[in-house]
Amino acid sequence: INGLTNEFHPCQILADIFTFIEHRGSIKGKVVAWVGDGNNMANTWLQAADLLGFTVHVSTPGGYEVDEKLAFGGKTPREGCYKVFKDPLEACKGADLVTTDVWTSMGYEAENAVRMKAFADWCVDEEMMQAAKPEAVFMHCLPAHRGEEVTAEVIDGPQSVVWDEAENRMHVQKALMEYLLLGRQPG
């Protein structure tokens, strides 16, 4: 089980998709806005979009883009599974889900000062959430840095489902282990 690598974070995305389904129903045909680093979370969101039939709007600062070849393992992704936006506000327009991650992931701490400057315009704020659909939810895999990648008003606001998302990590991972050990789905 890949719980987390520098390249991918599938257990987190399983929990995120479960959380979306729990709050808003099927993710098929929906739009997920990814605002921030083209990191392991972004890569895995792209893989999920390709497999499950939704679209990811990706907005990253220059130099921190998603590596399509890495994200899709060299295969051609489903047409329309993602779109790239230079402006994070544009990426959020019409989104059903807005999500982000820390600007400096584990192992990249030496780059923190440079990243803080590069990502300054990629802080998910109320304006971005207002550009999304009114019923859009906000997610973050936690821990979060309020005032960096997300404002306190968003992460602590009514559209945020981060605590359900965090709890769902446990439930989804238990279901994954049961499936892998027993070869069947619960129920």
Side-chain angles (χ1 to χ4, degrees), residues 57-133:
H57 288 181
V58 178
S59 183
T60 66
Y64 298 93
E65 296 88 353
V66 172
D67 177 353
E68 181 181 311
K69 191 172 184 178
L70 173 66
F72 296 109
K75 74 177 188 80
T76 303
R78 176 184 56 80
E79 188 171 333
C81 76
Y82 81 103
K83 296 176 185 173
V84 176
F85 294 80
K86 289 184 189 250
D87 182 348
L89 185 61
E90 290 297 315
C92 293
K93 284 188 177 173
D96 299 280
L97 163 61
V98 177
T99 187
T100 191
D101 192 7
V102 294
W103 291 343
T104 306
S105 295
M106 293 180 294
Y108 297 92
E109 292 85 1
E111 300 174 12
N112 192 51
V114 172
R115 285 173 171 266
M116 294 294 280
K117 288 179 186 172
F119 285 85
D121 293 331
W122 277 263
C123 176
V124 177
D125 59 18
E126 290 174 301
E127 184 180 11
M128 290 182 198
M129 291 306 297
Q130 288 170 359
K133 290 182 179 173

Side-chain angles (χ1 to χ4, degrees), residues 16 22 34 42 51 113-114 117 130 139 144 146 170:
D16 292 359
E22 183 178 59
W34 174 263
L51 290 169
V114 172
K117 288 179 186 172
Q130 288 170 359
M139 291 188 197
R146 286 165 176 79
M170 176 181 61

Side-chain angles (χ1 to χ4, degrees), residues 121-158:
D121 293 331
W122 277 263
C123 176
V124 177
D125 59 18
E126 290 174 301
E127 184 180 11
M128 290 182 198
M129 291 306 297
Q130 288 170 359
K133 290 182 179 173
E135 66 278 5
V137 294
F138 171 77
M139 291 188 197
H140 189 301
C141 60
L142 302 181
H145 301 106
R146 286 165 176 79
E148 288 181 21
E149 72 272 7
V150 61
T151 64
E153 292 79 17
V154 170
I155 197 167
D156 299 322

Side-chain angles (χ1 to χ4, degrees), residues 22-39:
E22 183 178 59
H23 283 269
R24 298 292 185 260
S26 176
I27 199 164
K28 186 172 184 165
K30 303 296 188 204
V31 173
V32 173
W34 174 263
V35 177
D37 194 9
N39 63 9

